[in-house]
Amino acid sequence: MPNVSEYFGSLVFNDSVMKARLPRDTYRSLKKTMDEGTLLDPALADVVANAMKDWAIEKGCTHFTHWFQPLSGVTAEKHDSFISPAGDGKIIMEFSGKELVQGEPDASSFPSGGLRATFEARGYTAWDPTAYAFIKDRTLCIPTAFCSYGGHALDKKTPLLRSMDALNTQAMRILRLFDPRTHVTRVHTFVGPEQEYFLVPKKLYDQRRDLIFTGRTLFGARPPKGQELDDHYFGTLKPQVDAFMKDLDEELWKLGILAKTEHNEAAPAQHELAPIYCRTGMATDHNQLTMEMMQKVAKRHDLVCLLHEKPFQGVNGSGKHNNWSLGTSDGANLLTPGDTPAENAQFLLFLCAVIKAVDEYQDLLRISTASAGNDHRLGAAEAPPAVVSIFLGDELTAILDALEAHKTYDPKEKVRLKLGVDALPSFPMDNTDRNRTSPFAFTGNKFEFRMVGSSQSIADCNTALNTAVAEALRVFADRLEAAEDFTYMLNHLIRKTVREHRRIIFNGNGYDEAWIREAVEERGLSNLVSTPEAFSHFLDEKNIRLFTSHGVFTEVEMRSRYEIALENYAKTVRIEANTMAAMVKKEILPAVAACAKDLAETSLALRSLSPDCGSAEGELAKRLSGLYRSITEKSGELENAVAAMSALDDAKAQADAARFITTDIMAELRTLCDSAEALTAEKYWPYPTYAALLFGVE
Ligand code: ADP
Ligand code: MG
């Protein structure tokens, strides 16, 4: 086994490969494009393409693909081979700059929310030179953006890159105000997404159509043992899981993905992988690849990796903790409290920008995590609620409060105050008080957004977050640039932010029912519990203004995304409902009937021995028969509701109907079936139980 430092990144056309294989000028231009977002000279594309091809062929590749992230949420690729006829019956391996820069996937089946149909027939992919090309399945993968010929983004990556540009523009204005001679050339956002997932035995998975078709269990009575003993979290790894994780790490390392921490999570069969953070564009690519590799590698170990947000009812769901920070081209983290008052003033201003952004665009943050799957997770066991709030910790909150009240902060033991000319304190942060129940927690030098669902692309939440923060910084920069007294205005902006946005700061237990009441009734925070409800605010005027004014989305793009989100939601529910109805009819009802019949026969036989006997068996048969009737009726209701939903032609109306189907009819049908499962002897029940699924991995 070669050592990790030798094979790390071996499948990536990364900086060191570029340096070694590209002419020096080409390398420099490409590097500048990557670091500073400058436009790449198109003349260089041929040179880069050729170097990429030679490298890929040496690594055994025969094909290349434009790899992109359409709105379906999973990645897409279309493979072309490098071969080209040489004229003498032989072939040569070719890859031109043109093929690198632009591709035309046959993309009519990707969701476009009417964009392509209305404006033009086809979309194209365009090389994203800010991301590294890599090799997967002996294919050279070129990260690309996916757009319509009218220039509308049809993917998740394009708006993300635009949002990073918007944030850079505004953050640079602020940095120049603090230091007109700053050497910083660009501000980047960094993300480290912690990925949660479940592993279940493949042979059991294969016996459940709900898992196969929907990624989650639609039925299943509670197991006798759940996670109440807390014995799984950080527990020792089972050998099968250990082997899976080692194998996964190796695959990810070859792809240059900094998989760092692998451990068990709170629920049985639940695990987590955390990479080391990197720039958001790359982190997004890496997270998509990580999810793909998890599923692939699991199969090799006779396991299936479930990325659904709520595969098991009553058991912890899976999320993705989006750890987010702002950093400069000099390597400084703008969310780190500094050592000097001036550094701290700058830190506090960036902190205030985040506070303002999260309060003003709490709906957009929530929307960016809305999906049929995540609806089941948010607000349920051990997951953040649908209410967005910020945890800052007691110290930082006290400092902001003191500033707001025009008082100097009364130093407690842990907090050292150093009052500078501008009256802002310097303080070392104490990170020991970590709150794990907050949807948006400050953790010392970064924010951790925990609402994101485990199967979602992190592009959406970061697009929303980056743009909202860019807007807050724009407002600050406008005021500061126009101010006669910079320090006065700085203090004013910080105070004003604390005063106006204090309601979003909550350091208590986010899982507490009382908090939801307080948040909604006293603080007026929004509680968008479902995807249709959340998306009904996506096109609010303030949100359209935000995205369009920073050039992140056009209004047309927003409308198309709105349609797609609601359509996806309704489709997901329809698939779940149809799967449920089929399972009920084909497997559950026959099982209940068989068990009831045997019990009835047993009861009769026993009664013929003695009138004292057989009554319990008879009672159970009657209860099962009653359930049989209720289940039949409910599943009829479900089928009718799905038919009625499908007949609606408005996306919002369909989504609302789907919402009712999932929260009411499907939930009731499930309860009935789970009761039947609990009463039916195991030999009749057609599916592996929760206990088997959750504790079956060896
Ligand atoms: P935990 O939250 O489990 O205590 P850490 O705080 O070490 O773990 O980090 C969690 C994730 O946050 C990791 O992916 C890590 O790389 C990432 N992270 C750490 N620092 C930053 C930062 N400045 N910006 C973005 N992500 C970061
Ligand atoms: Mg964490």
Side-chain angles (χ1 to χ4, degrees), residues 190-194 263 272 274-278 321 323-326 333 434 436 443 445-446 448:
F190 293 87
V191 164
E194 298 165 72
H263 62 75
E272 181 189 287
I276 296 173
Y277 69 98
C278 61
H321 293 174
N323 292 275
W324 176 93
S325 68
L326 286 168
N333 180 347
R434 300 199 55 170
R436 301 213 163 262
T443 51
N445 59 3
K446 61 185 188 291
E448 183 169 356

Side-chain angles (χ1 to χ4, degrees), residues 679-691:
L679 297 179
T680 305
E682 193 149 329
K683 70 170 185 180
Y684 299 94
W685 202 252
Y687 311 120
T689 61
Y690 263 34

Side-chain angles (χ1 to χ4, degrees), residues 73-223:
V74 289
T75 54
E77 41 198 78
K78 174 194 166 208
H79 296 198
D80 280 303
S81 71
F82 289 122
I83 65 164
S84 176
D88 54 358
K90 299 215 160 99
I91 54 110
I92 47 169
M93 300 295 260
E94 266 186 352
F95 184 48
S96 68
K98 198 163 150 276
E99 287 172 303
L100 166 66
V101 170
Q102 191 165 324
E104 222 177 286
D106 179 18
S108 49
S109 52
F110 294 111
S112 76
L115 263 187
R116 245 189 339 264
T118 330
F119 294 88
E120 56 283 306
R122 306 176 77 175
Y124 70 93
T125 50
W127 177 36
D128 167 14
T130 66
Y132 292 138
F134 58 89
I135 293 172
K136 186 164 64 76
D137 304 327
R138 300 211 292 158
T139 299
L140 171 67
C141 299
I142 317 288
T144 54
F146 179 41
C147 302
S148 75
Y149 274 106
H152 296 296
L154 295 172
D155 67 349
K156 289 177 181 276
K157 194 75 184 292
T158 305
L160 176 68
L161 297 175
R162 292 177 186 158
S163 76
M164 290 160 69
D165 278 345
L167 188 54
N168 167 59
T169 305
Q170 304 306 332
M172 283 304 301
R173 286 175 72 194
I174 300 283
L175 294 186
R176 286 194 201 101
L177 281 161
F178 276 92
D179 177 6
R181 288 174 311 174
T182 178
H183 293 296
V184 174
T185 51
R186 191 164 172 99
V187 172
H188 298 281
T189 57
F190 293 87
V191 164
E194 298 165 72
Q195 174 74 48
E196 292 178 333
Y197 60 96
F198 280 83
L199 288 176
V200 296
K202 172 130 184 6
K203 64 177 194 302
L204 301 183
Y205 169 93
D206 286 339
Q207 295 169 47
R208 295 199 59 132
R209 273 193 280 177
D210 47 2
L211 285 177
I212 294 171
F213 293 134
T214 74
R216 71 181 182 107
T217 54
L218 299 171
F219 307 97
R222 296 283 169 91

Side-chain angles (χ1 to χ4, degrees), residues 360-436:
E360 287 177 351
Y361 297 99
Q362 44 180 290
D363 51 349
L364 279 183
L365 289 176
R366 164 65 183 107
I367 292 165
S368 75
T369 67
S371 72
N374 213 20
D375 280 0
H376 292 289
R377 165 179 169 258
L378 294 178
E382 295 290 312
V387 177
V388 178
S389 65
I390 301 180
F391 167 84
L392 283 183
D394 292 337
E395 278 181 40
L396 204 45
T397 308
I399 287 168
L400 290 177
D401 282 343
L403 287 168
E404 199 266 315
H406 285 260
K407 284 186 300 206
T408 49
Y409 179 53
D410 175 23
K412 301 220 175 78
E413 295 137 61
K414 282 174 291 177
V415 183
R416 193 160 39 83
L417 262 183
K418 217 196 278 168
L419 292 179
V421 278
D422 48 13
L424 292 173
S426 129
F427 50 90
M429 276 290 298
D430 172 9
N431 294 323
T432 49
D433 64 332
R434 300 199 55 170
N435 179 311
R436 301 213 163 262

